């Protein structure tokens, strides 16, 4: 195949314009409407401020927004008119303590002077999500595409990149430099001897070829394996660059590298707000900006960075007319994690830093987040998906899950991994340890690692209070039965449902960060002993409008593979009964119809052992209402009518069409 860069350039431009328009539309709304879209956080009160840096310490009661640590925000007085929001100074959420109700904001790039003297103690503020940065989100990816295309001058590295992306160039076996099977170093290394057969094949491919793809399904030890691969490179005297979509992903891999004492030094560029990696003394160096790092003549053994940091010195070279002849040679090899979420343009921005690559990811989990195309389709596909499906490169799949027990692994293995994913011997018999004989003992039973709990409601879209109340009491009963709150996670497709679940958990005494309640996107890469998944929806029109987002199989795969011991899915029978028929999806393509079939297939496998908890869920909702602080949104129809009409649906009448 040919590698058509023009489709990616058009995609980058369309995505930026869509994101820009979306933010403009949102910040032009009144505060109440902006809050309804979760991009606005009103009512924070200035508690302290640094007169030198402008850093603010803010106190809050609740966070009704999706704004998190690391987000760039406009900081304004609470009564700012909508048309002036964009004129406010830009800051970065530096720290967020939900238990104490403290948020810290630092001034954004070149914004310190706009913070100084602007705010006062006791002032009420509002935070709004900022516009996407033109330089980072549009200009740099487009420049990278032009560079790789050869428009700015060609170079052997650029030709190799195009060859890999088109599939015309295959992985090359390198000469043995000390890491091949049978070497003395390996024979004395217990960590390599403990690798599973599939991990060993992936290790050999990564360390003996100039290009390798490693597919890591849920819980298969991908990060641990990448740490061993990086260590092998360092032992050979190579300089390694580590790149991922998120700073969280970079930090995880760098921490794995630091667990190996024979990796002498590690450097991290930027991302101070995205979780700190400290406590490793002189072995770890944190650099604030790409400029400071690339100006230094000292090259650590391992350096972690985002694609923007990697491309920054290249962009400066191009601005100075150095062209493709000035490609950097700082790294011998690049290791990409989260490659299933990196777009092709984003990956190219980093690939120009080296000639050798290891890509690790899973195109069966979450794809890149996009607004203008179906996720995973056309130029919206990830670089991992592109290399596997378009360029037809071999991917070495890790086949043993150390997370999923023998029951939890069955469905994802059959549907997403061709039956190859199995539960590791250490995980097969793993079951929830629970002491309970209370009202939800049948739902929480350790004997059913994957449980469907039916709550009969209708006409719910982004919020289902019945499911939220049920989950709050299930969490309470599980914790009372001996499951630590930090080993519980709750997932829902919409932030509105997550807010409702947190509200109900708060009424039952859960005010801290545990259990974690979040969307699928926020919880990928994490795992817990017990996971609750609230499907929420029962409105046919809402499902038809959001079908491509709500029923994407990758999202469902991530949601049902976070649990180590038990998964409980709460859903209304109306969800499965109202799955949009093909004729209801105007212009629907076969992939979308396949999406619906995945969810139907899971349902049919679980319906015979499903537990109907409708009465108990409504009772739980009534109890929480009586506690006084819960403000349950009115149902459509009323809660009483919902319960009555739901009860009239017989078991034979709610199967999906």
């Amino acid at each position: 195949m040919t590698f058509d860069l023009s489709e990616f350039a058009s995609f980058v431009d369309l995505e930026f314009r869509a994101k820009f328009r979306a933010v403009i539309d949102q910040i032009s709304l009144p505060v109440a409407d902006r809050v309804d879209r979760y991009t606005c956080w009103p009512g924070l009160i200035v508690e302290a401020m640094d007169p030198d840096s402008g850093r603010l310490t803010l106190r809050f009661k609740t966070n009704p927004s999706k704004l998190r640590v690391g987000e760039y925000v406009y900081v304004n007085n609470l009564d700012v008119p909508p048309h002036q929001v964009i004129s406010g100074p830009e800051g970065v959420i530096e720290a967020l303590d939900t238990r104490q109700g403290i948020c810290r904001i630092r001034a954004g790039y070149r914004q310190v002077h706009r913070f100084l003297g602007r705010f006062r103690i006791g002032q009420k503020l509002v935070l709004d999500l900022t516009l996407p940065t033109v330089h980072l989100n549009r200009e740099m990816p487009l420049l990278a595409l032009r560079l790789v295309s050869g428009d700015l001058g060609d170079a052997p590295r650029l030709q190799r990149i195009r060859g890999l992306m088109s599939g015309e160039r295959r992985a090359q076996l390198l000469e043995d430099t000390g890491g091949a099977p049978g070497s003395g170093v390996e024979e004395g290394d217990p960590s390599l001897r403990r690798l599973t057969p599939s991990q060993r094949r992936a290790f050999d491919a990564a360390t003996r070829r100039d290009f390798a793809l490693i597919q890591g399904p849920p819980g298969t030890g991908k990060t641990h394996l990448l740490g061993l691969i990086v260590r092998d490179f360092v032992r050979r005297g190579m300089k390694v660059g580590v790149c991922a979509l998120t700073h969280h992903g970079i930090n995880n891999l760098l921490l794995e590298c630091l667990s190996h004492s024979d990796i002498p030094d590690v450097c991290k560029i930027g991302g101070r707000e995205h979780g700190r990696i400290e406590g490793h003394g002189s072995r770890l160096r944190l650099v604030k900006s790409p400029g400071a790092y690339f100006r230094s003549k000292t090259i650590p053994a391992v350096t972690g960075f985002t694609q923007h940091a990697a491309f920054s010195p290249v962009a400066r070279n191009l601005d100075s007319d150095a062209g493709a002849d000035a490609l950097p040679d700082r790294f011998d090899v690049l290791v990409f994690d989260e490659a299933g979420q990196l777009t092709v343009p984003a990956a190219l921005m980093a690939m120009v830093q080296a000639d050798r690559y290891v890509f690790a990811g899973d195109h069966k989990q979450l794809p890149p987040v996009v607004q203008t195309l179906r996720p995973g389709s056309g130029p919206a596909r990830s670089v991992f998906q592109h290399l596997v499906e378009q360029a037809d490169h071999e991917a070495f799949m890790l086949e043993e899950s150390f997370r999923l027990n023998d029951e939890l692994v069955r469905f994802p293995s059959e549907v997403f991994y061709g039956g190859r994913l199995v539960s590791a011997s250490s995980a097969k018999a793993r079951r929830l340890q629970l002491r309970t004989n209370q009202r939800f003992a049948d739902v929480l039973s350790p004997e059913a690692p994957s449980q469907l709990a039916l709550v009969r409601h209708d006409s719910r879209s982004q919020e289902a209070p019945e499911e939220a109340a049920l989950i709050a009491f299930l969490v309470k009963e599980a914790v009372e039965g001996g499951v630590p709150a930090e080993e519980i996670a709750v997932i829902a497709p919409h932030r509105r449902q997550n807010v409702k679940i947190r509200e109900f958990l708060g009424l039952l005494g859960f005010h801290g960060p545990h259990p974690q309640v979040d969307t699928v996107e926020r919880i990928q890469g994490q795992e817990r002993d017990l996971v609750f998944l609230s499907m929420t929806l029962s409105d046919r029109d809402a499902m038809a409008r959001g079908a491509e987002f709500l029923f994407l199989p990758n999202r469902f795969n991530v949601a049902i593979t976070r649990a180590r011991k038990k998964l409980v899915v709460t859903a209304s029978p109306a969800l499965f009964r109202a799955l949009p028929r093909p004729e209801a999806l105007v212009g629907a393509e076969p992939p979308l119809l396949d999406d619906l079939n995945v969810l139907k297939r899971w349902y049919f496998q679980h319906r015979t052992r499903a537990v109907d908890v409708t009465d108990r869920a409504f009772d739980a909702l009534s109890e929480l209402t009586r506690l006084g602080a819960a403000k349950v949104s009115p149902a459509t129809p009323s809660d009483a009518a919902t319960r009555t009409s739901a009860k009239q649906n017989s078991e034979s009448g709610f199967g999906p069409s």
Side-chain angles (χ1 to χ4, degrees):
M1 61 165 283
T2 58
F3 183 43
D4 183 8
L5 289 166
S6 62
E7 66 166 345
F8 294 103
S10 299
F11 166 68
V12 167
D13 187 61
L14 286 172
E15 274 292 297
F16 174 78
R17 292 174 185 273
K19 292 175 182 177
F20 195 91
R21 282 196 303 269
V23 176
I24 286 291
D25 289 345
Q26 289 167 12
I27 62 179
S28 64
L29 298 170
V31 167
D33 292 332
R34 302 204 303 274
V35 170
D36 199 47
R37 298 191 180 194
Y38 301 99
T39 60
C40 175
W41 185 359
L44 298 99
I45 300 174
V46 179
E47 185 174 80
M49 51 189 175
D50 187 327
D52 298 319
S53 67
R55 182 176 276 103
L56 300 173
T57 299
L58 311 177
R59 183 164 290 281
F60 65 92
K61 291 184 178 179
T62 61
N63 178 6
S65 73
K66 66 180 179 181
L67 300 176
R68 306 294 175 89
V69 171
E71 300 272 17
Y72 281 75
V73 292
Y74 296 117
V75 185
N76 286 289
N77 194 54
L78 182 59
D79 59 1
V80 62
H83 68 277
Q84 292 183 9
V85 169
I86 196 173
S87 301
E90 295 181 30
V92 184
I93 300 178
E94 191 174 44
L96 193 58
D97 187 336
T98 55
R99 182 184 291 273
Q100 299 297 324
I102 294 293
C103 173
R104 290 187 175 83
I105 305 285
R106 69 168 175 85
Y109 181 62
R110 295 183 177 177
Q111 296 284 306
V112 172
H113 68 287
R114 303 189 65 198
F115 271 68
L116 298 178
R118 188 183 185 100
F119 305 106
R120 66 182 186 279
I121 303 297
Q123 183 178 358
K124 290 187 176 181
L125 304 180
V126 58
L127 308 181
D128 283 275
L129 190 68
T130 62
L131 290 165
T133 307
V134 177
H135 180 62
L136 295 180
N137 293 276
R138 184 177 183 273
E139 292 179 354
M140 289 181 74
L142 290 177
L143 185 59
L145 288 169
R146 286 191 63 200
L147 175 63
V148 173
S149 72
D151 286 353
L152 305 178
D154 219 350
R157 179 178 300 168
L158 303 179
Q159 294 169 13
R160 283 194 292 271
I161 292 174
R162 292 198 300 272
L164 288 173
M165 289 294 173
S166 68
E168 295 175 357
R169 186 178 188 278
R170 316 311 291 180
Q172 304 295 311
L173 189 64
L174 301 175
E175 293 183 4
D176 180 17
T177 55
S183 67
V185 171
E186 177 189 289
E187 290 172 358
D189 191 336
S191 59
L192 295 185
R193 292 200 303 270
R194 286 194 294 266
L195 292 179
T196 67
S198 64
Q199 288 177 329
R200 186 61 218 228
R201 288 191 293 270
F203 178 88
D204 289 342
T207 56
R208 302 178 68 192
R209 302 183 182 191
D210 64 351
F211 167 73
L213 295 175
I214 300 174
Q215 184 181 2
T220 51
K222 172 174 62 69
T223 302
H224 172 69
L225 177 63
L226 289 179
L228 293 174
I229 290 170
V230 171
R231 184 190 65 168
D232 187 84
F233 290 144
V234 172
R235 282 177 168 180
R236 303 183 193 185
M238 302 169 71
K239 302 299 183 183
V240 183
V242 168
C243 183
L245 175 69
T246 65
H247 285 282
H248 179 75
I250 297 168
N251 290 350
N252 281 346
L253 184 47
L254 292 184
L255 285 171
E256 185 66 31
C257 292
L258 286 165
S259 71
H260 298 291
S261 59
D262 44 358
I263 295 182
D265 52 350
V266 171
C267 179
K268 169 72 187 301
I269 303 176
R272 291 175 293 164
E273 298 83 19
H274 297 268
R276 299 186 179 276
I277 47 174
E278 298 175 336
H280 295 274
S282 60
R283 292 180 62 210
L284 174 64
R285 182 162 62 100
L286 302 176
V287 179
K288 180 179 179 181
S289 67
Y293 171 81
F294 286 103
R295 284 193 299 269
S296 172
K297 296 184 182 301
T298 302
I299 306 177
V302 181
T303 304
F305 44 75
T306 64
Q307 71 272 17
H308 294 103
F311 194 67
S312 177
V314 181
R316 283 197 301 271
N317 286 341
L318 295 174
D319 288 341
S320 64
D321 294 326
D325 293 334
L327 290 176
D329 286 312
R330 201 172 186 91
F331 304 109
D332 299 298
V333 59
L334 293 184
V335 176
F336 290 86
D337 200 2
E338 300 179 334
Q341 295 179 274
L342 270 178
T343 63
V344 170
L348 294 177
M349 291 168 66
M351 289 179 72
V352 298
Q353 281 280 354
D355 293 313
R356 185 174 176 181
Y357 315 103
V358 176
F359 287 90
D362 184 8
H363 55 304
K364 300 299 182 181
Q365 297 190 63
L366 286 181
V369 177
V370 299
Q371 295 189 16
T372 58
L373 294 173
R374 171 186 164 84
S377 68
R381 59 187 176 267
S382 71
V383 65
F384 197 93
Q385 181 184 358
H386 175 90
L387 290 167
V388 172
E389 297 181 356
Q390 271 65 43
D392 198 28
H393 289 289
E394 179 184 11
F396 293 84
M397 187 179 120
L398 308 182
E399 299 175 353
E400 300 84 7
S401 176
F402 299 91
R403 174 190 306 162
L404 304 171
N405 65 30
D406 53 356
E407 292 289 330
L408 293 172
V409 79
R410 186 172 295 125
F411 183 84
S413 179
E414 291 175 357
V415 175
F416 300 105
Y417 301 107
R420 295 170 58 193
L421 185 64
V422 298
S423 182
S425 57
S426 59
K428 280 184 180 180
R430 188 183 289 150
R431 294 294 186 271
L432 195 67
Q433 300 300 310
L434 186 70
R435 305 181 304 276
T436 181
N437 55 2
Q438 300 183 48
R439 58 175 167 172
F440 295 112
D442 52 348
V443 178
L444 294 173
S445 171
E447 301 306 314
S450 185
Q451 179 67 61
L452 172 61
L454 294 171
V455 184
R456 298 170 185 266
H457 56 73
D458 291 295
S459 304
R460 299 298 196 189
S461 55
Q462 295 190 26
E463 179 184 306
E466 308 87 353
E467 288 187 36
L470 171 66
I471 287 176
F473 274 94
L474 286 169
V475 168
K476 180 175 182 291
E477 189 166 314
V479 171
E480 290 174 348
V483 181
E486 57 268 24
E487 283 298 341
I488 301 175
V490 181
I491 306 171
H494 296 289
R495 297 186 187 280
R496 192 184 303 277
Q497 179 72 348
N498 284 327
V499 169
K500 180 60 66 178
I501 293 170
R502 290 193 196 99
E503 175 189 334
F504 287 165
L505 284 171
L507 292 174
L508 296 178
F510 296 93
H511 299 290
H514 304 297
Q516 181 178 358
V517 180
D518 229 321
T519 59
V520 175
E521 288 78 8
R522 295 281 187 172
I523 206 168
Q524 173 156 306
Q526 301 185 52
E527 59 183 53
R528 298 289 190 278
D529 281 351
L530 174 60
V531 173
F532 297 99
L533 171 59
S534 172
M535 299 300 288
T536 309
L537 287 143
S538 56
D539 182 80
R540 183 185 294 273
D541 292 337
M543 284 188 276
R545 288 193 302 269
E548 286 195 350
F549 169 78
L550 296 169
F551 303 123
L552 187 70
N554 306 57
R555 292 171 52 79
F556 190 61
N557 183 28
V558 172
I560 65 174
T561 55
R562 300 305 95 194
R564 286 189 289 256
K565 298 178 179 178
K566 187 172 179 72
L567 168 72
V568 176
V569 178
T570 66
S572 170
L575 167 69
F576 305 103
R577 184 179 67 248
L579 284 175
R581 292 184 174 88
E583 59 268 23
L585 299 169
V586 179
E589 298 180 357
L592 179 53
L593 304 183
D594 292 341
D595 293 354
L596 303 180
N597 288 333
V598 169
L599 186 56
K600 291 178 182 180
R601 183 173 173 181
W602 185 91
Y603 168 69
F604 278 121
Q605 287 189 12
H606 288 74
R607 66 181 293 184
T608 56
R609 60 177 184 270
V611 178
D612 192 323
V613 292
T614 303
D615 287 340
R616 286 177 281 177
F618 277 92
D619 290 343
L621 184 57
S622 298
E623 287 184 46
L624 289 168
T625 304
R626 286 195 296 269
L627 285 177
K631 296 180 179 179
V632 181
S633 62
T636 308
S638 68
D639 287 347
T642 298
R643 186 198 296 239
T644 301
S645 65
K647 276 181 167 292
Q648 294 172 351
N649 291 322
S650 65
E651 172 69 22
S652 61
F654 63 72
S657 58

